Amino acid sequence: MAGQQKNPQTQEELGTLLKVRREKLENLQNEGKNPFEITKYDVSIHSQDIKDKYDELEGQEVSIAGRMMFKRVMGKASFCNIQDLKGNIQSYVARDDIGEDSYKDFKKYDIGDILGIKGIVFKTKTGEISVHASEVTLLSKSLQVLPEKHHGLTDTDIRYRQRYVDLIMNPDVKDTFIKRSKVISSIRRYLDAGGFMEVETPMLVTNAGGAAARPFDTHFNALDEDLHLRISLELYLKRLIVGGLEKVYEIGRVFRNEGLDTRHNPEFTLMELYQAYTDYHGMMDLTENLYRHVAKEVTGSEILTYGEHTIDLSKPFERITMLDAVKKYAGVDFNEIHSAEEAKKAADEHHIGYEERHGKGDILNLFFEEYVEEHLIQPVFIMDHPVEISPLTKKKPDNPDYVERFEFFINGWEMANAYSELNDPIDQRARFEAQEAALAAGDEEANHTDEDFLNALSIGMPPTGGIGFGIDRMVMIMTNSPAIRDVLLFPTMKSLDK
């Protein structure tokens, strides 16, 4: 309830205010003026458009609609402020212009009520662009009290649970989600113009593969079969490459049964794309160009501010191997380490924890996470990962211990993950077998063997580049948002009943 926000009113005073609002509604209904019976209102323009086009609209009649956020009654004339999708605008409401009965009703309207106002565009003596009302219509009665204007809605828990109130009280929040929509639209425009085809693949799957994550499990009663919510889009999209759809992408929700923090939510938006006849170098070029395109369209610049950092997307993105990055920041050269035992010894010397099952490649990745990630503020591609942590990726021909994979980092965060896709069904089966062994050894995030996917590869998949983008983190960077919950309209929250 919005009244849970700490307002100046006591609970007793709040209860009285809520009772008065219900009584006002009952009186309106008894008078045949029930606002909830109104089914439509013709809006001709929004607030900001009036301000932007004032020179051509001055003296013209407009009709606006929105939530009343302020009202000042001064006898026979009043001012109110109406907030709509694009901002807010003042309206001058006078008894002689809208009629005595209508003005009497208007004076009883509450902050939070939704009004339709028809009138003439003008400027007040103080120069404020306003609408001189000739008609005021109550379109919806607010039976709840909004947070007090000057204190706003600041309790983050309530903000996330009651996003509808957050959007009303905090204009920056609305702007963030408008930009989020623009980010996704911009991605679609870029890919569509590049000949990519948007597709949709199953969310309920028998085998949740394509990423290292624990799935959510469910049961399909009609078939009496256990299913999972997808953790990735990858394996179905690659089936479509096998089928001859050479450029495909999907933007959709995936679900991972993992913890909550500033960068993780159990359901989040992923964009994956696959392109036949290219490799991970092609995916790097696409990533670089796409990020610049989206930043320019959404923010107007290729230079972004995130927290204390200035992120420069205009320069060529750095490309460095994981081996070289670990050598640079940890001072450990894994080219000189030739076995799992030597790798574990190095980990012990650097106080890095590992599991007994971990091999040299796993420990290289642990070094990377411990020593390197925090330094990757500017856009950078970390290339050529160990084969042990890349079960779906093509090996490097000149060094089969490593694969043609990159992770894209900004602000110390992984923003994207890409491969030269493994298209050898025999090698893929061996990789799945290694994953099954890891699963048996206690790795709950390892992949199960997907026989139908192996069958698809056996039919033949061309050389292919593929990539997965975290849309939510991209929006965080584009909107300078500190937490993933700030860019999810309705983030996962612990139930208040627990």
Side-chain angles (χ1 to χ4, degrees):
M1 196 167 82
Q4 291 173 323
Q5 173 69 10
K6 293 182 180 179
N7 282 344
Q9 297 94 1
T10 65
Q11 287 299 312
E12 184 178 350
E13 289 171 333
L14 187 60
T16 301
L17 291 172
L18 298 180
K19 182 181 178 183
V20 168
R21 290 194 178 209
R22 287 189 176 271
E23 290 173 350
K24 288 181 179 180
L25 174 63
E26 290 175 7
N27 291 336
L28 287 167
Q29 291 169 331
N30 292 336
E31 294 169 8
K33 301 175 181 177
N34 186 356
F36 298 124
E37 292 181 351
I38 296 175
T39 58
K40 62 175 291 189
Y41 186 82
D42 292 326
V43 177
S44 68
I45 196 165
H46 285 92
S47 57
Q48 189 59 45
D49 298 326
I50 294 174
K51 295 175 182 179
D52 291 342
K53 302 175 183 178
Y54 175 75
D55 288 344
E56 60 186 89
L57 290 173
E58 182 182 14
Q60 301 296 310
E61 184 178 77
V62 297
S63 58
I64 59 172
R67 193 176 301 275
M68 183 167 67
M69 300 299 290
F70 169 83
K71 183 175 74 170
R72 185 170 77 249
V73 177
M74 304 178 300
K76 299 178 182 179
S78 302
F79 285 97
C80 68
N81 190 282
I82 299 298
Q83 179 174 293
D84 62 16
L85 173 68
K86 295 187 178 181
N88 60 78
I89 193 165
Q90 178 176 267
S91 180
Y92 173 72
V93 183
R95 184 192 67 180
D96 294 344
D97 296 314
I98 69 170
E100 190 166 342
D101 289 342
S102 291
Y103 189 67
K104 183 179 178 182
D105 289 340
F106 171 78
K107 289 196 294 183
K108 295 178 182 178
Y109 296 159
D110 293 303
I111 301 303
D113 287 352
I114 297 176
L115 307 180
I117 295 179
K118 182 181 291 186
I120 302 300
V121 176
F122 79 111
K123 274 185 182 177
T124 64
K125 293 178 181 179
T126 60
E128 183 168 353
I129 295 172
S130 307
V131 176
H132 189 140
S134 58
E135 182 182 290
V136 178
T137 306
L138 178 64
L139 302 175
S140 183
K141 181 68 186 167
S142 175
L143 301 179
Q144 183 57 273
V145 177
L146 292 173
E148 199 271 331
K149 183 68 176 175
H150 294 292
H151 293 84
L153 182 64
T154 55
D155 185 304
T156 53
D157 188 74
I158 295 178
R159 283 183 53 226
Y160 297 142
R161 291 184 189 279
Q162 299 185 18
R163 184 67 85 185
Y164 42 91
V165 181
D166 192 24
L167 289 165
I168 293 168
M169 301 306 300
N170 297 316
D172 290 347
V173 171
K174 183 186 289 185
D175 183 61
T176 291
F177 288 104
I178 290 172
K179 284 183 177 176
R180 180 189 174 101
S181 178
K182 290 179 178 178
V183 165
I184 294 172
S185 297
S186 181
I187 291 171
R188 283 195 166 104
R189 278 193 297 274
Y190 182 86
L191 294 178
D192 292 347
F196 282 86
M197 172 181 171
E198 184 172 10
V199 298
E200 294 174 302
T201 60
M203 289 190 182
L204 284 172
V205 296
T206 55
N207 187 343
R214 291 177 58 189
F216 286 94
D217 304 318
T218 187
H219 187 79
F220 183 26
N221 293 331
L223 295 181
D224 191 24
E225 187 170 84
D226 290 333
L227 294 173
H228 314 282
L229 290 173
R230 66 186 181 186
I231 61 173
S232 168
L233 314 174
E234 180 167 349
L235 299 183
Y236 280 99
L237 291 177
K238 288 202 281 196
R239 285 169 168 88
L240 300 180
I241 295 292
V242 171
L245 303 180
E246 294 181 1
K247 289 183 173 183
V248 294
Y249 76 96
E250 180 173 6
I251 299 174
R253 282 294 174 104
V254 297
F255 309 86
R256 298 183 182 179
N257 199 347
E258 55 190 20
L260 292 163
D261 61 31
T262 57
R263 284 183 282 160
H264 294 89
N265 194 72
E267 59 173 312
F268 60 98
T269 303
L270 190 63
M271 189 276 284
E272 290 197 31
L273 67 86
Y274 293 85
Q275 179 178 346
Y277 311 114
T278 190
D279 62 4
Y280 74 144
H281 292 290
M283 293 296 102
M284 287 185 222
D285 294 340
L286 185 148
T287 301
E288 200 163 330
N289 293 330
L290 176 61
Y291 256 79
R292 290 196 188 109
H293 168 84
V294 173
K296 200 73 180 290
E297 280 206 347
V298 174
T299 74
S301 174
E302 295 175 355
I303 311 295
L304 306 177
T305 298
Y306 188 84
E308 61 186 21
H309 300 297
T310 298
I311 309 297
D312 190 350
L313 302 177
S314 66
K315 299 175 182 177
F317 296 178
E318 182 185 2
R319 305 182 183 195
I320 183 173
T321 67
M322 182 179 281
L323 280 168
D324 288 342
V326 168
K327 183 178 179 180
K328 177 179 178 180
Y329 292 105
V332 178
D333 187 353
F334 269 75
N335 282 316
E336 302 300 321
I337 293 175
H338 304 291
S339 66
E341 289 69 28
E342 291 178 24
K344 289 175 181 177
K345 181 181 177 182
D348 291 336
E349 291 171 351
H350 288 77
H351 309 291
I352 291 179
Y354 56 86
E355 296 179 31
E356 190 55 38
R357 62 182 175 82
H358 281 156
K360 172 186 169 183
D362 298 294
I363 293 174
L364 170 63
N365 189 52
L366 292 173
F367 267 87
F368 173 78
E369 292 174 350
E370 180 69 24
Y371 283 95
V372 181
E373 287 189 359
E374 63 180 315
H375 298 286
L376 307 179
I377 304 303
Q378 297 304 318
V380 57
F381 296 112
I382 300 295
M383 305 162 53
D384 301 350
H385 293 51
V387 67
E388 293 96 322
I389 62 169
S390 310
L392 299 164
T393 315
K394 187 170 287 192
K395 293 176 182 177
K396 292 181 70 63
D398 57 345
N399 191 352
D401 289 341
Y402 297 90
V403 297
E404 294 192 350
R405 173 185 174 186
F406 72 79
E407 290 175 296
F408 175 51
F409 281 82
I410 297 178
N411 194 51
W413 306 344
E414 179 200 337
M415 307 297 291
N417 188 21
Y419 314 148
S420 295
E421 302 296 334
L422 179 59
N423 62 344
D424 178 345
I426 298 170
D427 189 0
Q428 183 63 81
R429 181 174 291 280
R431 306 277 193 96
F432 275 140
E433 289 171 356
Q435 287 285 294
E436 294 282 5
L439 193 68
D443 185 353
E444 295 181 333
E445 296 185 347
N447 284 201
H448 284 284
T449 301
D450 188 326
E451 291 292 346
D452 183 71
F453 178 65
L454 288 171
N455 184 60
L457 289 188
S458 296
I459 289 172
M461 185 174 86
T464 298
I467 190 166
F469 284 87
I471 296 296
D472 307 303
R473 291 185 188 178
M474 188 179 197
V475 175
M476 288 172 69
I477 291 290
M478 298 286 173
T479 60
N480 196 13
S481 298
I484 192 170
R485 290 182 176 189
D486 295 318
V487 300
L488 298 174
L489 279 166
F490 300 101
T492 302
M493 304 286 288
K494 185 175 182 179
S495 172
L496 291 173
D497 297 332
K498 296 293 184 180

